[in-house]
Amino acid sequence: EVQLVESGGGLVQPGGSLRLSCAASGFTFSSYWMSWVRQAPGKGLEWVANIKQDGSEKYYVDSVKGRFTISRDNAKNSLYLQMNSLRAEDTAVYYCAREGRVAVAGTGIYWYFDLWGRGTLVTVSS
Amino acid sequence: DIQMTQSPSSLSASVGDRVTITCRASQSISSYLNWYQQKPGKAPKLLIYAASSLQSGVPSRFSGSGSGTDFTLTISSLQPEDFATYYCQQSYSTPSFGPGTKVDIK
């Protein structure tokens, strides 16, 4: 079955750290860009970070730069998010998402989040 | 950064209604626009990519249109399982989502 399963969420105090994991199965993990997307309680979706197939390129939303690190282990079909210096505003459900891409001749490469995990809740509170 | 807006923020509709949701980008994004459906407690689901391409397995009552800065998602005949929140997302640059449109039962 094609799926993504997140783990590692929980309650952490402000200033603390947490490492999220995402286990991929049913597809060739090493062929895809991967992202983390979060959703604060009752709020909308926010892209957090993504990583290229070989880990050579990584990008982050401004609000987490210098605090979060995305990484992957293709041998283990796993994606990670190391979160340091956590703040109350980082409280959210964190989703792992696969980036599908399609090339259209003469137009460009379109990409989208075509596979999502169920998410893991991170609560930052004292 | 590209800002995305959606209208309306919520709407009430009946089964069988035609529903249209609008998404606007703060600058031109060509056709780099995707639509997602999210039900309470569930992960988002891709409906439309590249503004008008239907994702595999998504019912044909869903359609998307637009380019540049203005886009629409249309549900031609609303079904009970379509009551959810819908988000647009641009992939022209650093990805960003619209605030969502909640579709509930009238």
Side-chain angles (χ1 to χ4, degrees):
Chain A
E1 182 185 0
V2 177
Q3 64 177 355
L4 299 167
V5 179
E6 302 92 338
S7 60
L11 174 65
V12 61
Q13 292 187 340
S17 297
L18 213 55
R19 189 194 195 206
L20 306 183
S21 298
C22 170
S25 59
F27 65 97
T28 305
F29 178 73
S30 60
S31 295
Y32 291 88
W33 282 75
M34 296 295 296
S35 273
W36 287 98
V37 177
R38 68 183 178 184
Q39 186 169 36
K43 303 297 184 182
L45 299 165
E46 180 184 40
W47 171 80
V48 174
N50 67 353
I51 185 168
K52 194 176 179 179
Q53 291 93 329
D54 62 0
S56 62
E57 295 182 36
K58 305 174 185 181
Y59 300 94
Y60 301 90
V61 67
D62 285 347
S63 59
V64 308
K65 283 180 182 176
R67 299 188 300 123
F68 289 12
T69 302
I70 189 171
S71 63
R72 65 192 296 162
D73 185 335
N74 289 339
K76 295 183 177 180
N77 292 330
S78 293
L79 177 72
Y80 306 101
L81 186 67
Q82 177 67 43
M83 304 186 295
N84 299 329
S85 303
L86 282 161
R87 306 167 180 167
E89 54 265 36
D90 295 318
T91 294
V93 173
Y94 284 74
Y95 295 102
C96 169
R98 185 180 76 178
E99 296 184 16
R101 291 173 185 248
V102 60
V104 177
T107 303
I109 298 175
Y110 295 91
W111 67 270
Y112 37 82
F113 302 114
D114 67 348
L115 179 66
W116 298 67
R118 292 186 176 184
T120 186
L121 176 62
V122 173
T123 303
V124 184
S125 175
S126 54
Chain B
D1 292 357
I2 298 175
Q3 309 302 318
M4 307 300 293
T5 57
Q6 289 181 233
S7 61
S9 57
S10 65
L11 64 91
S12 296
S14 301
V15 172
D17 284 353
R18 181 181 182 88
V19 170
T20 299
I21 299 168
T22 297
C23 175
R24 176 166 289 176
S26 59
Q27 66 181 73
S28 177
I29 58 171
S30 183
S31 296
Y32 292 89
L33 191 284
N34 309 314
W35 289 98
Y36 302 85
Q37 175 194 68
Q38 186 180 34
K39 297 180 180 179
K42 301 294 187 181
K45 172 188 174 182
L46 177 67
L47 300 175
I48 301 286
Y49 64 93
S52 60
S53 295
L54 192 67
Q55 171 69 348
S56 175
V58 174
S60 59
R61 62 180 179 273
F62 291 93
S63 64
S65 65
S67 66
T69 60
D70 295 319
F71 303 86
T72 59
L73 173 70
T74 300
I75 309 172
S76 61
S77 178
L78 198 66
Q79 297 302 300
E81 61 268 30
D82 300 337
F83 292 97
T85 299
Y86 294 84
Y87 294 94
C88 61
Q89 175 247 325
Q90 63 82 14
S91 58
Y92 182 83
S93 64
T94 302
S96 54
F97 291 86
T101 295
K102 184 177 181 180
V103 177
D104 59 23
I105 301 172
K106 191 173 189 178

